[in-house]
Amino acid sequence: MEFILVTPQAQPHVALIQLNRPKELNALNLQLMGELRDALKELDDNDEVRAIIITGNERAFAAGADIKQMAGKTAIDMLNIDQFSTWDQIRKTKKPIIAAVSGFALGGGCELAMTCDMIIASETAMFGQPEIKIGVMPGAGGTQRLTKAIGKAKAMEMVLTGKFMPAEEAEKQGLINRVVPVELYLDEAFKLAAEIAKMSPVAIKLAKESVNRSFETQLDEGLHFERKNFYLCFASEDQTEGMNAFVEKRAPEFKGR
Ligand code: DAK
């Protein structure tokens, strides 16, 4: 591994991956992304690991995909490189991933943080999708995940202007879990990881999958699912009992039938 550092047992049952291209502000070139994909796969398959932290350094989590590497590419080059398969594999990691973010989390860096399951930030962290400023738009889920996290109006403004959002605001908007002083962000991520690592790994895996299901399910599919279950409620005695009890101004007696 040239561009990431991997410590499978940084703390008991908690692995740490550090993005390590400091001079380039951890710009995500193809090799780094490939290494990250392979490391996550290995940690996902390692029974001793129950939670994973991805971090950068104090100045930058990652300042985006490597613009220098992308600059000369044509649409067909991009298609042939097929970076999406790498991102998709990262997204499919079953174990919980915490992004510990300090400094810049921009473009692909912001998208990588959002691909993780939780984000702990230092007070210097800056989130942004500035691709518009270089004539493109987010390509690794930014328009979708940011919108779901902070709502249409705020996401639209960030994506259309490239404006950065500081950590404190990102916490208020629900983009991140919490913001802590810069000297504590990694400790805080480890604390959260340790708490998760105490739980049943089976339940954690299933719970992560379920939360993601709600997050990833398209609205139409979600509504369809909800409607089917809504109708199913009307096949239960509990529905009749509950509604009758309301009409009769008494407490319902539910029997689970
Ligand atoms: N790519 C390459 N190099 C970068 C970089 C980047 N994204 N960001 C910074 N660097 C390099 C700088 O060029 C500089 O290198 P040298 O000149 O020293 O050789 C070094 O890092 C230090 O940066 P600065 O000198 O610029 O530092 P400042 O503190 O002055 O400014 C900055 C920091 C973060 C504000 C600035 O560097 C900046 O604006 N960087 C670019 C931010 C950006 O536009 N990010 C979005 C990139 S586009 C996809 C998946 C993902 C993506 C697309 C498709 N698929 C799956 C298909 C993602 C796209 C993007 O992220």
Side-chain angles (χ1 to χ4, degrees):
M1 300 281 182
E2 186 181 348
F3 295 130
I4 64 172
L5 303 170
V6 184
T7 315
Q9 292 289 324
Q11 289 195 358
H13 302 302
V14 179
L16 179 69
I17 299 178
Q18 186 179 13
L19 310 180
N20 191 33
R21 288 186 81 202
K23 278 196 213 127
E24 295 82 6
L25 306 185
N26 291 330
L28 306 168
N29 64 10
L30 295 176
Q31 186 181 332
L32 186 156
M33 290 306 295
E35 290 178 6
L36 183 60
R37 174 202 57 213
D38 295 347
L40 284 169
K41 171 86 179 80
E42 225 167 86
L43 295 172
D44 219 21
D45 291 343
N46 178 342
D47 289 343
E48 290 305 307
V49 173
R50 295 185 176 184
I52 301 162
I53 297 171
I54 300 180
T55 196
N57 54 52
E58 257 183 53
R59 186 165 176 223
F61 178 72
D66 190 323
I67 303 171
K68 292 165 192 166
Q69 195 174 46
M70 273 189 306
K73 299 275 187 285
T74 65
I76 302 302
D77 292 335
M78 292 301 277
L79 189 75
N80 287 336
I81 292 167
D82 187 22
Q83 288 182 68
F84 289 116
S85 65
T86 301
W87 283 78
D88 281 344
Q89 284 176 56
I90 289 173
R91 184 162 69 91
K92 286 182 186 145
T93 306
K94 295 190 178 78
K95 289 177 184 162
I97 309 178
I98 300 167
V101 176
S102 183
F104 300 111
L106 305 176
C110 187
E111 290 169 314
L112 177 61
M114 291 191 291
T115 302
C116 296
D117 303 305
M118 290 154 281
I119 304 175
I120 301 292
S122 90
E123 55 203 357
T124 65
M126 284 283 183
F127 298 86
Q129 298 290 161
E131 291 90 339
I132 204 79
K133 291 185 174 171
I134 53 167
V136 290
M137 58 168 279
T143 61
Q144 305 303 298
R145 290 198 178 87
L146 192 63
T147 308
K148 285 199 162 80
I150 68 175
K152 177 181 164 182
K154 297 274 182 193
M156 194 68 90
E157 189 175 344
M158 281 178 78
V159 170
L160 300 193
T161 68
K163 196 162 92 179
F164 298 167
M165 181 180 275
E168 203 183 319
E169 173 76 2
E171 184 185 24
K172 271 194 216 136
Q173 297 301 332
L175 178 61
I176 65 175
N177 293 68
R178 53 192 158 274
V179 50
V180 294
V182 67
E183 61 278 11
L184 293 179
Y185 75 99
L186 203 49
D187 288 350
E188 189 68 20
F190 271 113
K191 263 192 225 160
L192 178 58
E195 223 176 297
I196 292 166
K198 278 191 245 154
M199 311 298 171
S200 151
V202 176
I204 287 285
K205 187 164 75 179
L206 294 174
K208 167 172 168 164
E209 194 184 14
S210 301
V211 173
N212 277 342
R213 183 63 185 259
S214 130
F215 191 73
E216 287 163 4
T217 305
Q218 292 295 318
L219 187 61
D220 272 346
E221 200 188 327
L223 289 175
H224 184 66
F225 196 78
E226 180 188 84
R227 281 168 201 169
K228 260 186 13 195
N229 282 346
F230 179 74
Y231 287 139
L232 194 57
C233 291
F234 279 72
S236 71
E237 289 175 19
D238 282 351
Q239 174 269 330
T240 311
E241 166 63 9
M243 293 194 178
N244 285 344
F246 175 82
V247 173
E248 293 159 14
K249 296 188 186 299
R250 61 175 174 82
E253 268 185 58
F254 292 124
K255 304 211 166 78
R257 289 200 292 263

